[in-house]
Amino acid sequence: MEPMDCLVIYVPTVAAEAVRRAIGDAGAGRLGNYSHCSFSVEGTGRFTPLEGAHPAIGTVSSPAEVPETRIEAIYPRSRRTAVVDAALSVHPYETPAFMTFPVDAGLPDATGSADPRYC
């Protein structure tokens, strides 16, 4: 099985569907015979744009609170650039908050190794 990574990205809730679609189209969220698999949870993003910023939401030097969605999806490590680029291409923020990290997405069989039926 190819090594897998996970993308976690925070996006204004009004733009969440566009980000989910973009990352899915780029190869994130492919699990067996399913595509565009992800998990989302709603929350509140907080930030203060500093001098020199060009915020899509809020104004420079004023704290802002925005309804945001945290989106998580796994993807083959070889698709990292495509997945991150796709997310950033539709994300409305000047500087989106996101992270990627390696994950173990294999299901162990009785011997402790990944069962190829699920890879």
Side-chain angles (χ1 to χ4, degrees):
M1 180 169 121
E2 181 174 355
M4 301 292 282
D5 286 353
C6 182
L7 169 69
V8 175
I9 189 165
Y10 302 89
V11 60
T13 299
V14 299
E17 181 55 33
V19 171
R20 282 190 290 265
R21 188 176 326 106
I23 65 175
D25 289 351
R30 182 73 190 243
L31 299 170
N33 293 325
Y34 297 85
S35 71
H36 294 77
C37 300
S38 66
F39 178 80
S40 299
V41 65
E42 308 303 315
T44 302
R46 294 172 184 84
F47 54 88
T48 302
L50 301 174
E51 290 296 325
H54 298 83
I57 298 172
T59 57
V60 172
S61 300
S62 296
E65 290 191 0
V66 178
E68 290 185 340
T69 301
R70 174 185 166 129
I71 300 169
E72 301 179 25
I74 63 171
Y75 58 91
R77 187 164 296 147
S78 64
R79 302 291 307 157
R80 182 185 191 280
T81 298
V83 168
V84 172
D85 285 351
L88 299 182
S89 75
V90 297
H91 200 296
Y93 286 171
E94 179 180 21
T95 308
F98 73 94
M99 62 187 117
T100 65
F101 50 89
V103 295
D104 180 356
L107 296 175
D109 65 11
T111 65
S113 61
D115 185 333
R117 294 176 298 165
Y118 299 103
C119 297

